Amino acid sequence: MPQKHFDWAVGVRIPEHTKEKHLVLQDYFREYLTTRCQLPKQEKFRLVVVDAFCGGGLYEGGELGSPLLFLDELDQSAKNINTHRISQGFKPLKIECLLVLNDADQIAIETLKKNATPFTVKVEENPNLSVEVLYLNRDFEQDYLKIKELVQRARCSNVFFCLDQYGYSKATPAVVRDIISSWKSSEVLLTFTFSSLLTYYSSANSSSLPISNELRIQFEHLSDSSNLSRNEWLGRAEKIVFEELKGCAPFVSPFSINNPNGWRYWLMHFASSYRGRQVYNDILHSHQSTQVHFGRSGLRMLSYDPSNEGQLYLFDSDSRKNASDSLHSDIPKLIAESGDSLGVQEFYQLAYSETPAHSDDIHKVMMESPDIQIITDNGGERRSANQIKSTDIIRLNNQKSFSFAFLKQPKDQRKGTV
């Protein structure tokens, strides 16, 4: 798909789906910084942010683009984090950031430099924040390895890539996979249109890509624009997206930007740690209906029979109730599959590989379930969901409830004698 041209010097109107992306981006980045800067003894946090398709930074009407959102959020978060730390009697924390802003359009970069000036001035006045802004005018598709080498010189393990591409081929699965595997703590936000993914796979240049005949048939069905607003279309599309990209990172969020008139845009989150996916899920619930999932709402969100299962999950109160209902059976089942007990951290590693659920709902069900106990380091039993720690142990009770015993029965026994 050809690169879409935006005339940043004249002005660009912000699309509605971009507004929704920016809401998620800003809130998630804020929570990312807050989560990474909460250790009492910590006095410095270093990170690299790469905005690979940054644009001119400012839309018509004064709407901030992603590069200015990063600058603004770094400033505000550094202030808020340190206000809280001082109130708790902790030393101030210094945030050091290398912010790499890249765009293939030279006019976009020149416009961004002007638009960013008031924000960089504010950053310079913040005593607990140091941001080095590096402007690049490169084709990310061609120059990724050069940009990677530049980032590696910073010798920082915390790397955050924003890949808000137009199309699909500018930031391929191979690039996302390389980002996640190249740094100890790496995260990626990836944007693309589903139509561009279909074009990518159906193009002559991609004829040698490993794709099954069954998947090609699915693509033909999905390329019919008359199906775009059907729930079944979204279910098929999400499965394909997840299947295509799940190997890029241990934790992959394959959700579409919600548009009942047609799910065309995808905003995906990739993380090397379960904590990233956990926080991202919670952010989506705070922006109800911004993104959408179709399938199950429990721990195995895409394990369903499309002929008679699956429903929309809009990250709202109704969706959370459905998730809780599923989690009451899914959580004990996951523990049982591992034996009779599982460390909470290991549970998170397994659970967050494929769930849209809010962390509060998962913890609440863990406490409510008659089939499990949460055991502390000293052998006691947890009594409060908000006190669960990653070092705790989840253990199946000796006396299982009837519902869980039935759940474990082989299918052929469930239809036997009463």
Side-chain angles (χ1 to χ4, degrees), residues 31-39 42 44-46 93 157-159 185-187 275:
E31 198 61 31
Y32 169 88
L33 292 171
T34 303
T35 301
R36 300 303 303 275
C37 298
Q38 62 183 353
L39 296 177
Q42 185 180 12
K44 181 184 291 186
F45 177 66
R46 300 179 68 240
L93 178 142
S157 61
N158 306 304
V159 179
S185 177
S186 52
E187 299 192 29
R275 186 70 175 115

Side-chain angles (χ1 to χ4, degrees), residues 229-248:
S229 60
R230 297 177 60 192
N231 292 349
E232 299 80 26
W233 185 97
L234 176 62
R236 290 190 184 193
E238 187 177 339
K239 281 194 171 188
I240 285 177
V241 167
F242 186 68
E243 192 64 31
E244 162 69 1
L245 297 172
K246 68 180 181 181
C248 293

Side-chain angles (χ1 to χ4, degrees), residues 310-406:
Q311 58 185 332
L312 283 180
Y313 188 100
L314 295 171
F315 298 91
D316 56 8
S317 57
D318 289 339
S319 297
R320 292 184 67 170
K321 181 182 183 305
N322 291 335
S324 294
D325 292 342
S326 298
L327 290 169
H328 273 286
S329 59
D330 285 356
I331 292 177
K333 183 177 180 180
L334 181 60
I335 307 305
E337 289 171 353
S338 301
D340 64 352
S341 61
L342 194 65
V344 168
Q345 181 164 327
E346 187 178 357
F347 167 78
Y348 288 153
Q349 295 281 356
L350 295 171
Y352 281 102
S353 63
E354 197 181 330
T355 182
H358 194 290
S359 62
D360 288 349
D361 299 332
I362 291 176
H363 289 154
K364 183 171 182 288
V365 171
M366 288 166 69
M367 296 304 303
E368 291 177 347
S369 174
D371 299 307
I372 61 176
Q373 294 175 300
I374 311 299
I375 307 301
T376 66
D377 288 340
N378 60 13
E381 186 175 351
R382 286 277 177 223
R383 301 296 182 185
S384 175
N386 60 12
Q387 292 181 346
I388 294 175
K389 296 181 178 180
S390 61
T391 54
D392 291 345
I393 301 293
I394 313 175
R395 187 175 67 194
L396 290 176
N397 285 325
N398 291 329
Q399 297 296 323
K400 313 296 188 303
S401 69
F402 174 77
S403 60
F404 184 52
F406 181 81

Side-chain angles (χ1 to χ4, degrees), residues 3 5 8 50-56 99-113 133-144 146-147 150:
Q3 174 68 39
H5 177 72
W8 292 101
V50 180
D51 194 344
F53 307 90
C54 63
L99 178 59
V100 181
L101 303 177
N102 177 75
D103 201 286
D105 184 347
Q106 185 175 358
I107 294 177
I109 290 298
E110 294 305 320
T111 304
L112 175 59
K113 288 178 181 179
V133 182
L134 183 61
Y135 296 96
L136 299 179
N137 178 210
R138 294 180 177 175
D139 186 318
F140 185 79
E141 183 179 13
Q142 301 296 326
D143 294 337
Y144 164 68
K146 293 179 182 178
I147 294 173
L150 186 152

Side-chain angles (χ1 to χ4, degrees), residues 22 25-27 29-30 33 49 51 57-58 62-81 95 97 99 101 112 115-124 126 129 131 133:
H22 286 170
L25 169 64
Q26 184 171 19
D27 278 11
F29 188 60
R30 179 188 304 128
L33 292 171
V49 176
D51 194 344
L58 203 61
E63 292 272 1
L64 301 186
S66 55
L68 302 190
L69 287 175
F70 281 125
L71 281 167
D72 187 53
E73 201 51 59
L74 281 163
D75 180 52
Q76 292 299 321
S77 291
K79 291 174 181 175
N80 294 338
I81 288 167
I95 296 177
C97 177
L99 178 59
L101 303 177
L112 175 59
N115 291 333
T117 299
F119 295 85
T120 54
V121 169
K122 283 181 61 180
V123 164
E124 290 170 359
N126 190 331
L129 177 63
V131 180
V133 182

Side-chain angles (χ1 to χ4, degrees), residues 3 20 29 42-43 47-48 59 104 126 162 166 182 198 203 206 288 303 347 356 366 378 397 401:
Q3 174 68 39
E20 294 178 351
F29 188 60
Q42 185 180 12
E43 295 184 16
L47 77 157
V48 178
Y59 292 87
N126 190 331
C162 179
Y166 181 79
S182 295
L198 297 178
S203 67
S206 301
Q288 298 179 14
S303 299
F347 167 78
M366 288 166 69
N378 60 13
N397 285 325
S401 69

